[in-house]
Amino acid sequence: MTAATSLADEFAAHGYVVLRGVLNADEVRTARALCKQHLAVAGVQEMMTCDFLANEFLAGIALRPLVLDTVAQLVGPQVVMYPNCTARMNVYVPWHVDTTFVGADTEYVWAPGFVHVQAGLYLQDNGPATGGGIDVIRGSHLMSFDGYGRIPADFSAASRTLGRSVLRETVDTRAGDMILWHGRLMHSSTEGHAAPEDEKFGAFFSYGRKELQENHRFLCRIARDSVRTMNGVSARIPRLTEIAAMTYPGSFPEWFVKQASAAGVEIVTLLP
């Protein structure tokens, strides 16, 4: 990014920006220890949102001034945060656009001015040999493959082509960096071959602008996606079910409510 190029310009053109040094080296070690204690010891790959919010160090990352100031540059001064936050360990996902932004009834995400920020803070360096972060298709948030964004959520045909194109990037992030990407951006986990004991950790958040209809639609999609059917059998996705049932401020720790209020960030939930 040149001096004449703003973060907002870079985000609009490429679909993502990297925020360097959100955590310093000591904080990275602390965050890794906390994630390992909860995830590796428990033998799970994803933290429930209530457990994540209960950890003041991890959840507090979302409300740091550096993070919120950057998000405000991308979405505008009225920042909202969704209760879509968690930490994950050794999760590798192929090329996709997050299901909240594709499929039937999501044409609104292609409206002029729509913006949504997904955030991933990684607790290890990323690289093509070891993994540890994400790959992106640069500018793919501007590509509506059927004109309305309604093709299947796996984007299989598009990813086979674009994933081998010059638009593919392995995002250069160091431990403690955060990548902020547009909700429509095609991305995948960076595959790697690190030692089994070298767990991959990341913390994830979702932000938007204060726009009642957009906020409601995003949370309604989470609620809808909380029930999935495979091979004729329907089951609930625990963390998404939890998010759909949350209220504000009742479902949030008192410290989090105070910090969000002091920062001028509105926390939006599906239920009042």
Side-chain angles (χ1 to χ4, degrees):
M1 185 177 69
T2 67
T5 304
S6 70
L7 283 174
D9 291 338
E10 184 179 2
F11 187 78
H14 296 164
Y16 77 94
V17 295
V18 175
L19 189 55
R20 301 290 182 188
V22 175
L23 301 185
N24 62 36
D26 287 340
E27 290 174 323
V28 167
R29 284 190 286 271
T30 296
R32 286 186 64 86
L34 290 169
C35 288
K36 187 167 186 174
Q37 179 182 12
H38 187 97
L39 295 169
V41 174
V44 296
Q45 289 185 293
E46 183 176 65
M47 199 178 294
M48 293 291 287
T49 294
C50 62
D51 294 330
F52 185 84
L53 289 169
N55 189 297
E56 188 167 351
F57 181 85
L58 293 176
I61 295 169
L63 300 175
R64 291 193 176 197
L66 175 61
V67 175
L68 294 178
D69 289 347
T70 304
V71 172
Q73 293 182 55
L74 306 181
V75 306
Q78 291 187 297
V79 175
V80 301
M81 181 181 172
Y82 299 99
N84 182 32
C85 50
T86 187
R88 298 187 179 114
M89 179 186 73
N90 294 339
V91 172
Y92 293 91
V93 184
W95 288 111
H96 68 289
V97 172
D98 295 328
T99 57
T100 312
F101 305 102
V102 296
D105 303 322
T106 58
E107 293 90 341
Y108 77 96
V109 305
W110 294 94
F114 174 82
V115 62
H116 178 103
V117 174
Q118 299 281 73
L121 183 139
Y122 293 95
L123 300 177
Q124 57 280 318
D125 296 349
N126 189 33
T130 59
I134 71 172
D135 290 2
V136 301
I137 302 298
R138 185 177 69 253
S140 58
H141 67 303
L142 303 176
M143 305 172 188
S144 175
F145 299 103
D146 70 348
Y148 299 96
R150 295 180 300 193
I151 68 172
D154 62 9
F155 283 84
S156 57
S159 67
R160 282 195 297 272
T161 301
L162 294 171
R164 295 191 295 269
S165 77
V166 296
L167 297 177
R168 175 178 180 159
E169 294 181 4
T170 294
V171 181
D172 176 23
T173 51
R174 307 291 95 187
D177 291 347
M178 177 181 283
I179 177 172
L180 307 170
W181 70 91
H182 195 289
R184 298 192 308 253
L185 190 73
M186 186 181 295
H187 58 286
S188 72
S189 303
T190 305
E191 291 287 352
H193 303 283
E197 66 274 10
D198 185 20
E199 297 94 348
K200 304 298 183 184
F201 294 112
F204 301 91
F205 313 95
S206 293
Y207 303 91
R209 60 178 180 174
K210 186 177 180 180
E211 208 290 323
L212 184 60
Q213 196 169 35
E214 285 181 12
N215 306 153
H216 184 73
R217 282 168 162 165
F218 178 78
L219 291 166
C220 282
R221 280 301 298 256
I222 285 182
R224 190 172 82 176
D225 290 345
S226 68
V227 178
R228 296 180 186 171
T229 302
M230 295 184 64
N231 300 321
V233 178
S234 296
R236 289 195 175 274
I237 308 301
R239 193 178 71 84
L240 300 186
T241 300
E242 174 191 45
I243 291 172
M246 293 178 76
T247 63
Y248 189 81
S251 301
F252 293 77
E254 184 178 352
W255 69 265
F256 190 92
V257 174
K258 289 181 178 179
Q259 285 193 25
S261 177
V265 176
E266 184 171 338
I267 310 299
V268 290
T269 56
L270 188 58
L271 300 178

